[in-house]
């Protein structure tokens, strides 16, 4: 009997121990935010001295060069780079944890454009008076909007990103089409014309990113915005139960139903869709500018090098609307030396630094003037299209509970696209109800 | 003398997180905005609301779906892994040329970190991947439906059947060769030898391996998360729900989910151990009237099998528990 009991205990202990790892995750974020407000002192941008920059992994290698330039000019106010993981979700998690511990380890945060509302509402980042950022008016306005919460500025956009329509120029020309399609209907018609030519055999028409992840929110928003609808209106209220939104959702659903969008596209993220285009399986591809140089590589990795061009995304009756990507620099509320942080952000936002960054890393800048620079346009032929894309781009919903909102959008979009029996009208009405409970708090 | 520092460390690393998670699950924070759009700070005590919310409305549907998935994966994966693991152990136990290579290659999957093997299988299962080329049709493995469940089961079985194989192999090596010789002399068939000698004698080691796998699979997270993706109803498990809540900075509900899962794991483990325990002291129990119901049934089944296994069982389980 005694033996049995001790054995039972041992095994029960094992069970406890193995569940521990899980519990530890859950209680990792303590209620560190219970401290009293302190927002007035957090708003004062004072103090000079060394600061840190929390950024995702710098894959280009140019960020450190930019920091070195700053450090050489400001020996007493050096910036140290704190590299976070490559994955955006993991970056956000580390920044949230850091903020909940009220740690001053990160001074300047490199934030994805969709995080602003959540971080600002939690007062994890500091409001920046607009007169502290002299060049704000010279940036593309749509990018500046991403850094605002309730009309107050909480960051400065440093890089931007917009969707582009990549198309097979060679096949369109062979089918006698001179201009890329401006509308979704034109795009479908072009596909049929190309399919009739010998070069178009076995080609799929169009693909974007339709796997159930953030990219689906981007693509679904683009379809709805391009058809004249919106997911969240100008006042921040959900507005997805409209005929325009329905038209946009139906375009994508019909694309899957008719096979214009290949079935496999439901599993595509950026890279899968890029590979399909590079392997010559797609006539049209919606993707970000980074694809341009990769698809033009002549080392054999791309079968379409020199055969494609870019255009703005197609819309209902004219050019479509892209979802806005990119990164903003914000100041942690718990940071020391905030005056230095503001200066540093202005340095990074300057035209010279952005130009340097564009030429070395091809990251899209936020300065409007850089898109019109002829020398740059020669190096990056997609810049005029990208400018048009970013200038008319819509931000994704700017809401505090962005994680829940994007999950709800993904759920609805995925059902509409992957289950042909789903009625888009009811699905959008359900989404409207869900968003209403998530957005009004 | 050594006991008190041990208890202290155990208290710190085991008891404290559990209690702190339980406490956390009774609070909620960060749900209300003030007139300036800022989240009202501080957490409020909500009693058992976080637990009740789990079972209500949409969240309830999501919970029961995740509960079903977790249980489904546990039952199917563990059964498959046990069968395959025993087979692997029997192969590894055989003396033949190149046994070292076979043993090593069977153990490779177990040595690969789960996230890496999930990425590996994701690559195999992608739309134009090897799996589809082999079967000659395009199955979209990572979409909702039976196929995504199956991809998780395949990947999990591939990775962890060797673990069961390893533990069973250890059990096999404790069986003295004379037992088999005696069976041979008696003219027992291969199947009879397996069911009457091998299986009962490795059972203690096997049960420990199965218990480990059950506990592990109940907490399954990284494999479906990486292989199929988050928010997919077909493969969402309880751990993924807890993660999702924590990711959206709702630590109270996240702790509640984790606690529910903790209780579920504890109950399953207790039930399993209860059955196991009844077997370990089978003889002692037999003399005592009115043992547990489960124990009785187990004993009845065992009675037919012969009784040599009990003493070996006690020894081997003690070793395996480590």
């Amino acid at each position: 009997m005694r033996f049995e009991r001790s054995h039972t205990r041992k095994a029960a202990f094992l069970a406890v121990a193995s569940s521990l790892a899980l519990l530890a995750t859950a209680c990792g974020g303590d209620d560190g935010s219970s401290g009293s407000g302190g927002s007035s002192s957090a708003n004062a941008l004072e103090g000079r001295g060394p600061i840190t920059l929390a950024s995702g992994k710098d894959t280009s290698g140019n960020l450190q060069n930019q920091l070195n330039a700053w450090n050489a000019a400001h020996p007493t106010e050096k910036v140290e780079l704190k590299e976070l993981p490559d994955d955006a979700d993991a970056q956000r998690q580390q920044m949230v944890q850091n903020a909940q511990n009220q740690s001053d380890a990160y001074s300047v945060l490199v934030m994805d454009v969709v995080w602003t509302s959540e971080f600002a509402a939690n007062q994890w980042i500091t409001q920046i008076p607009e007169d502290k950022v002299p060049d704000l008016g010279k940036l593309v306005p749509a990018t500046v909007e991403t850094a605002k919460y309730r009309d107050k500025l909480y960051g400065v956009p440093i890089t931007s990103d917009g969707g582009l329509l990549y198309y097979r120029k060679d096949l369109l020309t062979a089918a006698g089409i001179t201009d890329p399609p401006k509308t979704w209907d034109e795009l479908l018609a072009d596909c049929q014309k190309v399919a009739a030519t010998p070069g178009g055999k076995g080609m799929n028409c169009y693909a974007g990113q339709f796997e159930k992840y953030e990219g689906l929110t981007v693509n679904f928003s683009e379809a709805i915005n391009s058809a004249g609808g919106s997911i969240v209106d100008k006042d921040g209220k959900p507005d997805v139960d409209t005929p325009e939104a329905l038209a946009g959702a139906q375009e994508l659903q019909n694309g899957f139903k008719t096979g214009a969008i290949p079935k496999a596209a439901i599993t595509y993220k950026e890279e899968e869709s890029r590979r399909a285009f590079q392997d010559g399986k797609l006539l049209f591809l919606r993707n970000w500018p980074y694809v341009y140089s990769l698809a033009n590589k002549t080392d054999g990795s791309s079968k379409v090098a020199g055969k494609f061009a870019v255009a703005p995304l197609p819309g209902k009756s004219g050019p479509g609307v892209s979802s806005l990507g990119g990164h903003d620099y914000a100041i942690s509320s718990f940071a020391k030396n905030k005056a230095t942080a503001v200066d540093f952000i202005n340095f990074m936002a300057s035209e010279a630094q952005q130009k340097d960054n564009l030429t070395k890393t091809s990251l899209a800048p936020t300065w409007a003037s850089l898109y019109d620079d002829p020398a740059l346009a020669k190096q990056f032929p997609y810049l005029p299209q990208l400018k048009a894309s970013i200038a008319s781009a819509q931000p994704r919903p700017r809401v505090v509970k962005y994680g829940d909102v994007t999950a709800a959008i993904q759920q609805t979009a995925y059902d509409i696209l992957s289950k042909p029996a789903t009625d888009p009208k009811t699905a959008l009405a359900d989404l409207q109800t869900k968003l209403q409970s998530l957005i009004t708090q | 003398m050594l006991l008190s520092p041990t208890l202290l460390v155990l208290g710190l690393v085991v008891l404290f997180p559990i209690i702190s998670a339980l406490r956390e699950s009774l609070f909620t924070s960060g749900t209300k905005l003030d007139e300036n759009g800022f989240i009202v700070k501080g957490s409020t005590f909500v009693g058992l609301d976080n637990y009740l919310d789990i079972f209500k409305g949409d969240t309830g549907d999501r919970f029961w779906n995740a509960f079903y998935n977790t249980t489904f994966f546990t039952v199917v994966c563990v059964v498959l892994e046990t069968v395959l693991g025993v087979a692997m152990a029997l192969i590894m136990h055989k003396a033949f040329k190149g046994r070292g290579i076979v043993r090593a290659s069977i153990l490779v999957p177990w040595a690969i970190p789960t996230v890496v093997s999930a990425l590996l299988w994701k690559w195999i299962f992608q739309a134009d991947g090897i799996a589809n080329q082999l079967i000659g049709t395009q199955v979209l493995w990572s979409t909702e439906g039976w196929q995504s469940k199956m991809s998780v089961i395949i990947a999990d079985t591939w990775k962890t059947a060797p673990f069961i194989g390893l533990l069973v192999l250890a059990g096999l090596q404790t069986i003295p060769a004379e037992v088999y010789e005696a069976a041979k002399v008696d003219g027992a068939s291969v199947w009879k030898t397996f069911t009457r000698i091998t299986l009962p004698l490795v059972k203690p080691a096997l049960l420990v391996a199965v218990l480990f796998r059950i506990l592990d699979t109940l907490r399954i997270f990284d494999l479906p998360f990486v292989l199929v993706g988050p928010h997919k109803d077909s493969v969402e498990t309880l751990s993924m729900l807890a993660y999702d809540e924590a990711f959206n900075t709702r630590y109270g509900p996240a702790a509640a989910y984790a606690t529910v899962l903790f209780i579920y794991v504890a109950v399953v483990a207790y039930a399993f151990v209860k059955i196991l325990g009844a077997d370990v002291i089978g003889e002692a129990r037999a003399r005592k009237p009115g043992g547990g119901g489960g124990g009785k049934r187990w004993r009845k089944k065992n009675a037919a099998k012969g009784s040599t296994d009990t003493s070996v069982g006690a020894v081997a389980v003690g070793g395996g528990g480590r």
Side-chain angles (χ1 to χ4, degrees):
Chain A
M1 191 69 204
R2 203 178 346 139
F3 183 86
E4 181 213 8
R5 211 189 292 138
S6 77
H7 181 78
T8 310
R9 267 198 205 148
K10 196 191 266 174
F13 169 73
L14 265 173
V16 169
S18 52
S19 308
L20 222 130
L22 184 86
L23 281 166
T25 351
C27 63
D30 211 347
D31 45 346
S33 56
S34 52
S36 62
S39 54
S40 57
S41 67
N43 272 344
L45 299 172
E46 288 160 357
R48 298 201 162 267
I51 55 170
T52 56
L53 173 70
S55 161
K57 203 167 161 44
D58 173 30
T59 45
S60 66
N62 193 46
L63 186 57
Q64 191 59 54
N65 295 340
Q66 291 179 297
L67 300 189
N68 290 345
W70 164 271
N71 288 345
H74 303 84
T76 58
E77 301 171 62
K78 289 197 170 170
V79 178
E80 188 197 338
L81 178 63
K82 301 247 173 165
E83 270 198 342
L84 305 182
D86 204 9
D87 167 36
D89 286 346
Q91 289 165 23
R92 173 184 165 277
Q93 213 165 22
Q94 288 208 7
M95 289 181 188
V96 169
Q97 261 166 25
N98 190 66
Q100 285 180 328
N101 295 331
Q102 311 205 351
S103 150
D104 62 359
Y106 303 156
S107 316
V108 176
L109 306 176
V110 179
M111 305 212 313
D112 202 304
V113 288
V114 291
W115 301 342
T116 308
S117 298
E118 183 191 13
F119 277 63
N122 280 294
Q123 300 185 48
W124 293 331
I125 50 177
T126 306
Q127 193 202 327
I128 305 173
E130 294 199 18
D131 55 10
K132 295 258 185 191
V133 191
D135 294 332
L136 211 55
K138 294 172 184 158
L139 308 183
V140 179
T143 64
V144 178
E145 285 301 307
T146 64
K148 287 185 176 172
Y149 176 65
R150 300 219 172 184
D151 282 332
K152 289 185 179 124
L153 190 71
Y154 281 87
V156 178
I158 304 291
T159 63
S160 187
D161 222 351
L164 294 172
L165 182 72
Y166 291 80
Y167 66 95
R168 289 289 298 278
K169 204 176 163 83
D170 57 331
L171 295 178
L172 287 199
T173 314
I177 306 161
T178 47
D179 290 324
K182 286 195 180 59
T183 67
W184 182 251
D185 291 337
E186 277 176 34
L187 183 144
L188 294 177
D190 286 356
C191 282
Q192 295 202 321
K193 279 184 207 157
V194 171
T197 65
K201 288 240 156 56
M203 293 285 285
N204 286 307
C205 177
Y206 173 88
Q209 294 77 42
F210 304 112
E211 171 64 287
K212 203 175 187 179
Y213 80 120
E214 188 58 28
L216 181 57
T217 304
V218 167
N219 278 262
F220 193 65
S221 308
E222 282 172 353
I224 286 179
N225 290 330
S226 296
S230 62
I231 289 181
V232 172
D233 69 10
K234 292 260 181 295
D235 303 325
K237 293 211 173 65
D239 188 27
V240 80
D241 191 12
T242 59
E244 291 84 10
L246 180 63
Q250 272 170 337
E251 270 173 8
L252 287 184
Q253 190 185 40
N254 287 337
F256 271 97
K257 271 184 189 165
T258 59
I261 302 174
K263 288 252 170 325
I266 198 75
T267 67
Y268 284 178
K269 295 189 180 188
E270 276 87 356
E271 284 296 276
E272 285 87 352
S273 60
R274 175 174 74 84
R275 270 202 301 272
F277 186 72
Q278 283 187 186
D279 289 347
K281 291 178 193 158
L282 282 176
L283 191 55
F284 295 104
L285 166 73
R286 179 255 171 248
N287 213 326
W288 306 99
Y290 86 96
V291 170
Y292 197 91
S293 54
L294 292 172
N296 251 337
K297 275 204 173 147
T298 46
D299 61 358
S301 63
S302 171
K303 291 181 184 159
V304 297
K307 295 178 182 169
F308 69 92
V310 290
L313 298 176
K316 184 88 186 155
S317 53
V321 180
S322 165
S323 291
L324 199 56
H327 283 91
D328 300 338
Y329 278 32
I331 303 172
S332 162
S333 296
F334 314 104
K336 288 178 187 142
N337 304 328
K338 290 193 180 112
T340 302
V342 176
D343 288 353
F344 170 69
I345 290 177
N346 276 314
F347 166 79
M348 290 299 283
S350 66
E351 188 178 15
Q353 285 307 317
Q354 291 213 4
K355 185 173 179 178
D356 177 66
N357 210 26
L358 171 63
T359 49
K360 286 181 184 146
T361 69
S362 82
L363 274 174
T366 54
W367 270 72
S369 60
L370 291 176
Y371 289 94
D372 302 325
D373 187 326
L376 289 173
K378 202 167 175 200
Q379 193 184 348
F380 304 102
Y382 57 83
L383 275 184
Q385 284 81 14
L386 183 59
K387 185 193 182 187
S389 170
I390 291 174
S392 67
Q394 286 285 333
R396 279 158 278 163
R398 286 151 58 196
V399 293
V400 177
K401 289 186 173 179
Y402 184 75
D404 294 314
V405 166
T406 187
I409 296 172
Q410 287 167 33
Q411 180 73 46
T412 304
Y414 198 78
D415 282 350
I416 291 175
L417 300 190
S418 68
K419 296 176 195 155
T422 310
D423 175 21
K425 189 159 172 40
T426 8
L428 289 177
D430 288 349
L431 179 62
Q432 172 78 7
T433 324
K434 222 189 266 177
L435 290 183
Q436 265 161 356
S437 71
L438 285 172
I439 291 175
T440 50
Q441 315 221 3
Chain B
M1 276 304 269
L2 274 171
L3 194 63
S4 47
T6 313
L7 281 179
L8 192 74
V9 170
L10 280 183
L12 269 177
V13 302
V14 179
L15 219 57
F16 176 71
I18 292 175
I19 290 172
S20 127
L22 282 175
R23 189 189 150 274
E24 184 79 45
S25 70
L26 305 178
F27 287 85
T28 181
S29 63
T31 51
K32 291 212 166 54
L33 291 182
D34 64 16
E35 69 276 17
N36 294 320
F38 294 130
I39 283 177
V40 178
K41 301 207 167 181
S43 42
T44 30
F45 180 79
V46 291
L48 292 177
D49 280 5
N50 287 336
Y51 290 95
L52 298 177
D53 287 346
I54 289 178
F55 303 99
K56 266 198 298 207
D58 273 356
T59 355
D61 294 343
R62 209 172 162 210
F63 170 80
W64 287 116
N65 175 55
F67 184 82
Y68 167 77
N69 284 343
T70 308
T71 314
F72 176 80
F73 282 140
T74 306
V75 171
V76 175
C77 289
V78 171
V79 167
L80 282 174
E81 286 155 16
T82 308
V83 173
L84 272 174
V86 170
M88 283 175 180
L90 290 174
I91 293 169
M92 287 191 280
H93 190 53
K94 278 252 152 45
F96 57 87
K97 222 177 160 189
R99 185 167 74 161
I101 295 169
V102 172
R103 279 190 186 183
S105 55
I106 284 182
L107 286 175
V108 165
W110 175 245
I112 296 176
T114 311
V115 174
V116 177
S117 74
L119 282 171
L120 194 81
W121 282 99
K122 189 189 174 80
W123 181 61
I124 292 173
F125 282 131
Q126 69 189 17
D128 52 357
I130 303 161
N132 283 343
Q133 275 172 22
L134 280 179
I135 57 176
T137 52
Q138 193 178 60
V139 178
L140 300 173
W141 294 91
S142 67
T143 52
E144 297 275 13
W146 61 269
Q147 69 275 20
S148 59
K149 276 197 176 74
M150 203 148 109
S151 68
V152 170
I153 291 169
I154 291 172
D156 192 61
T157 309
W158 174 82
K159 179 175 157 51
T160 56
F163 170 76
I164 293 192
L166 186 69
L167 264 69
V168 171
L169 177 64
L172 281 176
Q173 285 172 340
T174 63
I175 304 175
E178 298 89 64
V179 184
Y180 287 109
E181 278 157 24
K184 216 174 198 175
V185 171
D186 288 346
S189 69
V190 176
W191 179 246
K192 259 215 166 108
T193 315
F194 176 70
T195 51
R196 293 290 170 85
I197 297 174
T198 310
L199 215 48
L201 288 181
V202 296
K203 199 174 71 189
L206 183 62
L207 286 178
V208 170
V210 169
L211 176 67
F212 269 59
R213 285 307 310 146
I214 289 177
L215 298 187
D216 247 9
T217 321
L218 284 173
R219 295 175 300 131
I220 191 166
F221 171 83
D222 32 10
L223 187 62
F225 192 88
V226 175
L227 179 60
V228 181
H231 299 137
K232 295 254 172 81
D233 295 341
S234 305
V235 296
E236 193 164 56
T237 64
L238 290 173
S239 307
M240 289 163 89
L241 282 186
Y243 169 85
D244 199 44
E245 290 295 295
F247 185 75
N248 286 306
T249 64
R250 287 188 294 268
Y251 298 113
Y257 273 116
T259 307
V260 168
L261 174 58
F262 171 63
I263 292 168
Y264 183 43
V265 172
V267 165
V268 171
Y270 183 77
F272 194 85
V273 165
K274 201 76 182 147
I275 295 166
L276 185 79
D279 182 43
V280 167
I281 50 124
E283 268 180 313
R285 268 273 173 108
R287 270 183 266 121
K288 201 173 148 258
K296 226 184 225 167
R297 227 183 307 134
W298 185 263
R299 215 164 42 242
K300 233 182 249 165
K301 254 197 257 162
N302 272 356
K305 280 191 197 162
S307 55
T308 43
D309 56 298
T310 49
S311 59
V312 183
V315 175
V317 167
R322 241 177 316 147

